[in-house]
Amino acid sequence: MKPAMETAAEENAEQSQEKKGCFECCIKCLGGVPYASLVATILCFSGVALFCGCGHVALTGTVSILEQHFSTTASDHALLSEVIQLMQYVIYGIASFFFLYGIILLAEGFYTTSAVKELHGEFKTTACGRCISGMFVFLTYVLGVAWLGVFGFSAVPVFMFYNIWSTCEVIKSLQINMTVPGDQICVDIRQYGIIPWNAVPGKACGPILENICNTNEFYMSYHLFIVACAGAGATVIALLIYMMATTYNYAVLKFKSREDCCTKF
């Protein structure tokens, strides 16, 4: 029979080894998490959600402003209404596609980490696996370039609304200083090309323009377009991170047969 003190010491040693083993296991799991892909996925989901949600509501508000103040005849802005409706349907498709694509890229990041190697043992890459990884690299680069265009396009309505808002601020300042009548300052929406030149009235001046700027539709649409533009910019950053992650993962898969390396991207 062992003394009670020796038995207690052995039990404490076994418990400390178990705790140490759990700690080392947690460290290995955390070390194998593809943090870059994880951050890019969160940023991509957030950016796409902001762009799609805010852009959809802002487009609806823009149509309401045009119908009430700049184009009272339905036939003058019929084409614009159809284009905006089509863009809203495209927004639904973009949201669904990037939700699935972000999950796929995140899964690829997990399956090319050292965590998979530690859990499932040595694995060999195949030509099919390298081809799929290369396809993700190419598709991510294409989407990155495309979203640069979307980001630039989303800045256009922000520029238009900013011009209208700044004109309203000028009218307010003139009314305070009593220098020039505000009726002489106008905003002509027809010059932006979104409605035809024969649209009636097509422009707003003085107090009418100031009233437009004070409406809830204008205030909400202006700020929602700003948020949508910021969301598009966040998506561009997320795709840039995806580019680096997928390129690195592809390089690891390509040279894995020659070097025993693993990726944490």
Side-chain angles (χ1 to χ4, degrees), residues 16-27:
S16 62
Q17 288 179 358
E18 289 179 358
K19 292 180 180 179
K20 185 177 180 181
C22 293
F23 178 76
E24 291 179 352
C25 181
C26 292
I27 293 299

Side-chain angles (χ1 to χ4, degrees), residues 160-231:
M160 293 171 54
F161 274 83
Y162 173 76
N163 284 341
I164 298 174
W165 174 82
S166 61
T167 305
C168 291
E169 292 299 315
V170 171
I171 294 174
K172 291 179 182 179
S173 64
L174 291 177
Q175 291 177 352
I176 295 174
N177 298 328
M178 296 296 180
T179 55
V180 180
D183 297 339
Q184 299 179 5
I185 300 176
C186 304
V187 170
D188 195 340
I189 296 296
R190 295 171 295 186
Q191 64 181 343
Y192 297 108
I194 58 178
I195 57 176
W197 282 104
N198 58 355
V200 179
K203 65 179 181 179
C205 303
I208 298 177
L209 180 60
E210 188 177 359
N211 291 333
I212 294 174
C213 294
N214 292 330
T215 58
N216 292 329
E217 290 85 0
F218 181 87
Y219 180 84
M220 289 296 297
S221 298
Y222 180 32
H223 289 83
L224 287 175
F225 273 127
I226 294 176
V227 176
C229 184

Side-chain angles (χ1 to χ4, degrees), residues 83-184:
V83 171
I84 289 178
Q85 187 177 8
L86 179 62
M87 291 175 63
Q88 290 176 334
Y89 285 118
V90 171
I91 283 175
Y92 298 145
I94 290 174
S96 303
F97 172 77
F98 271 92
F99 178 76
L100 295 175
Y101 190 68
I103 292 177
I104 292 173
L105 287 182
L106 182 61
E108 192 221 6
F110 271 106
Y111 277 100
T112 51
T113 55
S114 58
V116 176
K117 182 179 177 181
E118 292 292 334
L119 292 174
H120 301 286
E122 295 289 342
F123 65 96
K124 295 183 179 180
T125 60
T126 61
C128 181
R130 292 191 297 270
C131 181
I132 294 175
S133 183
M135 180 191 68
F136 282 135
V137 174
F138 174 76
L139 185 57
T140 305
Y141 272 81
V142 172
L143 289 174
V145 174
W147 266 95
L148 283 174
V150 173
F151 176 64
F153 179 77
S154 64
V156 174
V158 176
F159 172 74
M160 293 171 54
F161 274 83
Y162 173 76
N163 284 341
I164 298 174
W165 174 82
S166 61
T167 305
C168 291
E169 292 299 315
V170 171
I171 294 174
K172 291 179 182 179
S173 64
L174 291 177
Q175 291 177 352
I176 295 174
N177 298 328
M178 296 296 180
T179 55
V180 180
D183 297 339
Q184 299 179 5

